[in-house]
């Protein structure tokens, strides 16, 4: 599983307006300007990744490692941490019992929950300022990356083949539909490739 940022056109708001939006309030005076208000996205949020600011939503997905088909997804605003959507995208009907994810998903509580449910955690080890990863953990992360990277291929395909990961809608409901259609389109294209590849192998 993994998550990708989905950018939307940026809102140019004042600091107090952004504060009100974060508190799920309508900024003062916006109700008196309906034409301006309808151009504002009150559901999108700012977040930082690798030192860069992003504004919009997140597409959280889980795939099967064999065929790279999206099994489950959930759309949130960009500020939601990946680990908070773990249970929503964990597909208990997936035939594999190993769970692959980067270190953002790892916690002691999460490891215990997976063990209780009969899963094998392949989530990357997480280092801290107080304790760096040892050589064994580094080697384990390196080995796991070869499988975990398959989920990043999905986002790469969406970005390259579907015009980039960007939506121009306003609000969570419309963004969720747009991102959901983006995921469905990926699955349809991926399935077409898998079926074609299978037929070629049968002929060969």
């Amino acid at each position: 599983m993994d998550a990708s940022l989905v950018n939307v056109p940026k809102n140019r708001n004042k600091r107090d307006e952004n504060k009100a939006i974060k508190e799920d309030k309508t900024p003062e005076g916006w109700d008196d300007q309906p034409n301006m208000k309808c151009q504002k996205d009150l559901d999108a949020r700012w977040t930082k990744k690798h030192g860069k600011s992003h504004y919009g939503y997140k597409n959280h997905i889980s795939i099967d490692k064999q065929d790279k088909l999206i099994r489950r997804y959930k759309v949130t605003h960009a500020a939601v941490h990946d680990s908070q959507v773990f249970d929503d995208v964990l597909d208990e009907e997936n035939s594999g019992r190993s769970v692959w994810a980067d270190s953002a998903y790892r916690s002691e509580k999460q490891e215990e929950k997976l063990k209780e449910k009969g899963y094998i955690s392949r989530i990357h080890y997480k280092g801290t300022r107080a304790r760096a990863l040892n050589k064994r953990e580094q080697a384990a992360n390196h080995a796991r990356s070869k499988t975990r990277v398959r989920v990043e291929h999905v986002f790469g395909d969406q970005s390259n083949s579907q015009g980039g990961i960007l939506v121009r809608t306003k609000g969570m409901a419309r963004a969720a539909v747009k991102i959901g259609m983006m995921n469905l389109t990926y699955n349809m294209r991926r399935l077409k490739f898998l079926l074609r590849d299978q037929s070629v192998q049968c002929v060969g």
Side-chain angles (χ1 to χ4, degrees):
M1 59 182 66
D2 203 358
S4 178
L5 291 166
V6 181
N7 294 316
V8 300
K10 297 180 178 64
N11 282 346
R12 302 300 180 183
N13 303 324
K14 298 177 182 177
R15 183 172 298 179
D16 59 331
E17 291 175 333
N18 282 329
K19 181 180 179 181
I21 292 171
K22 287 182 180 179
E23 296 173 352
D24 294 324
K25 300 176 182 178
T26 300
E28 185 177 354
W30 281 23
D31 287 332
D32 299 328
Q33 304 178 66
N35 291 335
M36 181 274 289
K37 183 181 176 181
C38 73
Q39 298 299 318
K40 298 289 188 177
D41 192 330
L42 301 180
D43 298 326
R45 293 290 185 273
W46 286 95
T47 191
K48 280 196 172 183
K49 184 176 182 180
H50 304 312
K52 293 184 178 181
S53 296
H54 297 268
Y55 180 71
Y57 298 91
K58 268 187 182 179
N59 182 21
H60 306 260
I61 67 171
S62 67
I63 69 167
D64 65 84
K65 68 175 184 177
Q66 180 176 339
D67 295 325
K68 294 194 293 189
L69 290 168
I70 297 174
R71 304 282 303 218
R72 285 192 175 185
Y73 78 92
K74 184 178 179 66
V75 177
T76 67
H77 63 68
V80 172
H81 194 272
D82 297 358
S83 62
Q84 295 179 7
V85 192
F86 189 97
D87 292 335
D88 295 295
V89 296
L90 181 64
D91 182 12
E92 296 184 357
E93 295 181 0
N94 200 330
S95 59
R97 301 308 294 174
S98 294
V99 177
W100 310 79
D102 64 32
S103 60
Y105 294 89
R106 191 177 186 91
S107 68
E108 290 185 10
K109 183 179 179 180
Q110 202 64 265
E111 293 297 296
E112 291 176 1
K113 287 173 63 177
L114 288 175
K115 187 175 181 180
E116 289 174 359
K117 292 182 177 181
Y119 287 101
I120 301 171
S121 175
R122 306 294 187 189
I123 301 174
H124 282 211
Y125 290 102
K126 181 189 298 184
T128 65
R129 291 182 179 180
R131 190 189 76 82
L133 296 179
N134 58 42
K135 291 184 177 180
R136 181 186 65 81
E137 292 169 333
Q138 292 177 21
N141 282 356
H142 180 73
R144 293 174 182 185
S145 292
K146 296 177 181 179
T147 298
R148 193 202 66 80
V149 74
R150 294 179 67 81
V151 71
E152 295 180 2
H153 296 166
V154 177
F155 296 130
D157 181 88
Q158 289 180 330
S159 180
N160 295 329
S161 303
Q162 298 186 43
I165 302 180
L166 171 73
V167 297
R168 298 187 179 279
T169 58
K170 302 291 182 181
M172 174 65 77
R174 290 185 176 90
V177 170
K178 177 73 174 179
I179 295 168
M181 292 300 295
M182 184 171 65
N183 290 336
L184 178 60
T185 299
Y186 165 81
N187 268 3
M188 292 173 67
R189 294 178 61 254
R190 180 64 183 169
L191 180 59
K192 180 180 178 181
F193 169 81
L194 292 171
L195 292 174
R196 183 179 61 191
D197 185 59
Q198 186 179 52
S199 65
V200 170
Q201 290 181 11
C202 289
V203 172

